[in-house]
Amino acid sequence: MMEYKDYYKVLGLTKEATQDDIKRVYRKLARKYHPDISKEDNAEEHFKEVGEAYEVLKDPEKRAAYDQLGEDLKAQRDFRPPPNGAAGTGQSADFDDFFANLFGQRGRGGAGGAGRVYQENGEDSHAKVSIDLEDAYRGATRSLNLRSFQQERTLNIKIPKGVKQGQHIRLQGQGNPGIGGGSAGDLYLEIAFNPHPLYRVEELDVYLELPIAPWEAALGGSVKIPTPDGPVDMKIPAGSSSGRKLRLKGRGIPAQTPGDFYVTLKVVMPDTFSDKAKALYAELALEQTFNPRAGMGV
């Protein structure tokens, strides 16, 4: 006497499931119920059932024999092996030997084994880490909280100097854990920059819009400007207008070939003028014949 087990039901599949479906669902359930990581009730028992079902259904020949067994049991509650072996399967052994071969190989990876012989490498995992632009200039260390398979851990991440936005950093063996002694996957970190009130970033180049006074634009001179690596002196050419772009070569994000730092000038007028300043502007208007709208036909 032998009790029939519905392996399709154990895996939550129908008899129409493909071999790929069976493999995919088995991997998912094996991870869910593996005693090393699962917190589910009766995890080990479920894990053994899943392994037993997969051991039969993963093999097309075993699956065909099992499906034939199911057909034979439609008319009877319990199975009694016919004297001439498994009808329709082409096997010489009877059904008792058939089931013994499937479920009796304990400790050798059979479906009736100890339940922990399944081994699988961990999957790679991905996370996004947001850093300040200044961190890309100097390097930094960040703490990253990770959660996988109901386990939490904190990882201290070293951000290398010269990293750029969108770059992926691979941390070998820091991904999802393996099962049954399998190797852990890798962790891939995507670098993102926090929004900055002053700078805009494109690849390794950094951009700054710099306000300057009208007299600085007219007369030129040296002004101190901020950069993510600290203030630097920059020369403004005399007669500069709003929109003029100046370049500080190699002052962008450091790398083997560092980026550049671009400054776009923006002429800003004072909110108020003294009487003397107004008089000077009036004198300037009389002195100059410059018409900024000459090209507009007016």
Side-chain angles (χ1 to χ4, degrees), residues 12 17 33 58 71 75 87 115 124 142 163 211 234 242 259 278 284 298:
Y33 293 121
K58 72 176 182 178
E71 292 295 324
D124 295 336
R142 289 289 179 268
V163 71
M234 186 185 72
S242 284
K278 290 179 181 179
L284 178 64
V298 293

Side-chain angles (χ1 to χ4, degrees), residues 65-183:
Y66 173 76
D67 290 344
Q68 181 62 48
L69 173 63
E71 292 295 324
D72 292 343
L73 291 178
K74 282 183 179 180
Q76 56 186 36
R77 180 176 179 180
D78 296 316
F79 167 66
R80 300 177 187 273
N84 295 326
T89 64
Q91 298 184 21
S92 59
D94 63 20
F95 277 138
D96 280 337
D97 290 337
F98 172 67
F99 272 86
N101 286 333
L102 290 179
F103 312 138
Q105 300 174 0
R106 296 183 180 274
R108 294 175 55 193
R116 295 176 186 260
V117 295
Y118 167 75
Q119 186 181 79
E120 181 183 356
N121 293 336
E123 296 180 351
D124 295 336
S125 56
H126 301 262
K128 181 175 286 189
V129 177
S130 295
I131 65 172
D132 294 331
L133 175 59
E134 287 80 359
D135 295 333
Y137 274 75
R138 307 182 185 99
T141 300
R142 289 289 179 268
S143 292
L144 184 65
N145 294 321
L146 300 175
R147 180 182 177 87
S148 62
F149 301 111
Q150 301 179 338
Q151 296 179 353
E152 292 187 3
R153 59 192 174 106
T154 300
L155 199 62
N156 290 324
I157 307 298
K158 184 177 180 180
I159 307 298
K161 178 180 178 180
V163 71
K164 65 180 181 180
Q165 184 157 257
Q167 181 175 334
H168 287 82
I169 299 175
R170 177 188 174 219
L171 300 179
Q172 187 174 4
Q174 296 296 333
N176 291 325
I179 293 177
S183 301

